[in-house]
Amino acid sequence: MLAQAFEYVEDGNFSDALKLYDLALKEEPENARILVDKGATLQNMGKLKLAKKSYDKALEISPDNLDALLNKGAVLHSEEKYLEAIDCYDMALKIDKKCAMALAYKGLSLGELGELKNALKHFKKALSIDKDYDLAIISKDVAQELLKSIKEKKSKTQ
């Protein structure tokens, strides 16, 4: 059933995938993996509040679930709740301090808060763990360009 749900998600058939996740949860209501997958599907559909509820339920069952923490952080980031998102990424980093995704996502939220130097530090740390991580590479370059343009503006006004 879960394999079929995954195929539905891959094909963009989110509503049928949700039906299968709900059936699976009737059999295993305490299965955090299913709750995370259901949350990710809801997130793909743009149903952020429902996705967050699914991640919260998964975290009640399994507080150290990295996927639930990262995905919940991504939902909070999408809702422009950057400090709350950073809290999720920090919890993920307590579980796995070498989680490149948590570092890069935290960098994105820091960047949205205007903390470009701190964001850049997180992108670089993510790249020290996974040198090919596209999100960190692109975000690092953007942060560096923004910092450079800020410095140039300051030097022109002085």
Side-chain angles (χ1 to χ4, degrees), residues 64 66 69-70 88-107 121-130 133:
D64 290 349
L66 274 178
L69 287 166
L70 292 170
C88 286
Y89 305 139
D90 284 341
M91 284 188 265
L93 289 166
K94 282 182 185 168
I95 297 162
D96 179 4
K97 65 182 178 205
K98 291 189 179 268
C99 181
M101 187 178 287
L103 289 162
Y105 281 14
K106 182 175 178 179
K121 180 180 85 175
H122 283 79
F123 298 138
K124 287 179 178 178
K125 193 168 183 183
L127 288 169
S128 75
I129 296 163
D130 180 356
Y133 189 24

Side-chain angles (χ1 to χ4, degrees), residues 25-45:
L25 286 168
K26 281 184 181 172
E27 290 177 25
E28 296 181 67
E30 300 293 306
N31 187 317
R33 175 82 257 149
I34 298 170
L35 287 163
V36 170
D37 289 348
K38 178 181 177 181
T41 302
L42 289 163
Q43 194 171 350
N44 284 327
M45 296 172 77

